[in-house]
Amino acid sequence: MDAFVKHIGTIYPCRDAIARKLYKYYRTGDPFPPALFIYGQSSTGKASIVREVLRSDESGFQCAHINAISCYTNKILFEAIARQLEGAKLTQANNYSYDRKLDYVKDFLAVLQQLPRSRSFVIVLEHAERLRDMAHNLLPLFLQLPEATGLNISVVLLSSLPFEKFYIKTGLPPIVKLFVPEYTRNEMLRIVMNDYPSHIERLTEHSNQKSRDWLSAVTREFHSNYVNLFLGTFWKVCRDAKELRLVAVECFLPYCEPIRDGTIPATDSMNLWRNITKTLKVALSTMYMRLGTRHNGTGTSVTAMTSTFLPQYIELPYYAKYLLIAAYLASNNATKEDKRLFVKNHGKQRKRMQAVNARAKVVEKMITKLGPKAFNIDRLLAIFYAILDEKVGLTCNLMAQISTLVHLKLLTYVSVDGGGGGMLDGSVTRLQCTVGLDFIMHVGRMVGFNVRQYLSDFF
């Protein structure tokens, strides 16, 4: 077992305890547990470790890996499981289809009962929380498959939700639970440092073949210092291992550029860090968009995530652009200014010296410089309808575009209704716009809208 766990640790570090427990459950030759529920935050290595431990070709049992998102009906789910357990493959000969129709539970159980009883089987269901939206008898069935089929079969449920969210009124049989914690900072440091060979390979690809002597200065100690500084900036913003590894390799290229040019030595970590500060700020604002970097003909990397270049990468629908503009105006205008900015007949305003002096703003007191303020959905929609020339009904598609902007990290939730209303309660849910003035000006030019005309800072 120690050799097996060590092998898993070389592929997926910092998960020895999880691999050891999975080995005891499935690799010792004892009967499998009827079901195993593994839960934890996303990007903690649940699916990868389970897939590595339960390899069908090495372990002597047949394993089916199913994604519950793609198997959204009973028929697709049953056929995918039966096909993988039988070892059948979709080819041109069978017209890329399964020869049996498994519409009901009885058909699925009949196929499983025909499997050889001398073998063992494991079904791995990723995104198991989707089972709650399917037939009510599916989850109890998967938890009791050995009783229903008489096979040595086990179901592994992978989810980001705790098992308490799966309870139903009729109750569920007991299940073995296994929690996968998030990576700590030291564990994440070890994971990113393991990418040193791939980082060096990336540097080799983007450097000239004639002058590669400078790569000898990029040692493991140099890379370790970079990873420490990198996590010091990004750890509070993101704990996702995949995203951190992706951004780390993209930022490592501009970090090493002064060494290749000979302007900054590899031992001067302070100046190297100051040189990359601007790139890191832009990478922080576009953490989950995966825009990467582009390179010019000389091999130097140019940040592709600048405020004027970024909107060209994001293809937003027409109304979503106006929603984003409305969100920026709501975040960077005081509520008391809405009537003056967005209502045509807002009445006369007397010019007093006090009002004139108040509007003579210095740069430090401008709202666009102080940072975005929170606003509710009702105010967002009111500004949206005020700046949009045409009449549009409040539909589900329009509300879904607000969720899309939140998913793209262009908007963020400041507070959400705790009573379960969520976004539907527009007076309670509060949002904040995260984009800057240059970004929103570029979006405004796309739809022919002058953003500065509706900002109180520029009156």
Side-chain angles (χ1 to χ4, degrees), residues 76-325:
I76 299 176
L77 179 63
F78 293 156
E79 291 182 359
I81 294 174
R83 186 181 69 251
Q84 292 192 36
L85 292 183
E86 291 178 350
K89 295 183 180 180
L90 299 179
T91 60
Q92 188 176 4
N94 54 28
N95 199 22
Y96 299 99
S97 62
Y98 190 59
D99 56 351
R100 303 179 186 178
K101 292 185 178 180
L102 307 180
D103 294 320
Y104 304 103
V105 172
K106 62 177 184 179
D107 303 327
F108 175 62
L109 292 178
V111 172
L112 293 185
Q113 289 171 355
Q114 295 176 6
L115 296 173
R117 297 183 179 273
S118 59
R119 297 198 62 186
S120 302
F121 303 92
V122 179
I123 301 172
V124 180
L125 276 173
E126 300 179 26
H127 302 285
E129 61 272 7
R130 294 300 183 100
L131 294 178
R132 302 180 302 166
D133 303 327
M134 300 175 71
H136 66 280
N137 61 342
L138 271 184
L139 188 57
L141 168 69
F142 285 127
L143 298 185
Q144 303 176 86
L145 266 185
E147 300 178 20
T149 60
L151 297 170
N152 184 22
I153 188 171
S154 178
V155 177
V156 180
L157 302 175
L158 305 179
S159 176
S160 58
L161 301 178
F163 192 68
E164 288 73 18
K165 299 292 185 180
F166 289 76
Y167 285 149
I168 56 179
K169 294 181 180 179
T170 56
L172 292 172
I175 185 174
V176 180
K177 303 173 188 175
L178 186 59
F179 175 66
V180 181
E182 285 188 310
Y183 291 109
T184 63
R185 192 183 187 279
N186 290 334
E187 291 174 344
M188 190 63 69
L189 180 68
R190 180 182 168 188
I191 291 172
V192 181
M193 286 176 60
N194 283 349
D195 292 336
Y196 172 73
S198 61
H199 288 188
I200 294 297
E201 183 180 354
R202 186 76 180 272
L203 287 177
T204 306
E205 292 176 357
H206 293 283
S207 62
N208 297 327
Q209 295 182 357
K210 296 182 179 179
S211 58
R212 290 183 178 177
D213 298 337
W214 64 275
L215 289 175
S216 59
V218 186
T219 60
R220 282 192 176 271
E221 183 181 358
F222 174 84
H223 184 260
S224 176
N225 292 334
Y226 162 75
V227 174
N228 266 306
L229 294 172
F230 172 81
L231 287 182
T233 303
F234 284 84
W235 181 247
K236 293 182 179 180
V237 179
C238 177
R239 303 292 175 91
D240 192 308
K242 292 182 291 187
E243 299 295 336
L244 286 174
R245 292 176 65 191
L246 179 66
V247 178
V249 67
E250 293 294 342
C251 293
F252 192 56
L253 296 176
Y255 183 76
C256 295
E257 280 181 7
I259 302 174
R260 184 195 58 197
D261 299 338
T263 56
I264 301 176
T267 55
D268 193 353
S269 58
M270 185 61 68
N271 284 330
L272 286 173
W273 191 249
R274 288 174 181 171
N275 182 68
I276 202 180
T277 301
K278 186 175 180 181
T279 303
L280 292 178
K281 286 182 179 179
V282 178
L284 276 172
S285 62
T286 57
M287 185 70 196
Y288 296 93
M289 295 180 185
R290 300 197 177 188
L291 301 182
T293 57
R294 55 195 175 94
H295 301 265
N296 56 22
T298 61
T300 57
S301 62
V302 181
T303 304
M305 300 175 288
T306 58
S307 57
T308 56
F309 193 74
L310 175 59
Q312 301 175 10
Y313 265 79
I314 302 177
E315 292 293 337
L316 292 176
Y318 180 74
Y319 294 132
K321 293 177 182 176
Y322 270 99
L323 282 170
L324 184 59
I325 294 172

Side-chain angles (χ1 to χ4, degrees), residues 45 52 123 220 266 342 402 439:
E52 186 66 29
I123 301 172
R220 282 192 176 271
F342 305 111
I402 300 178
F439 183 101

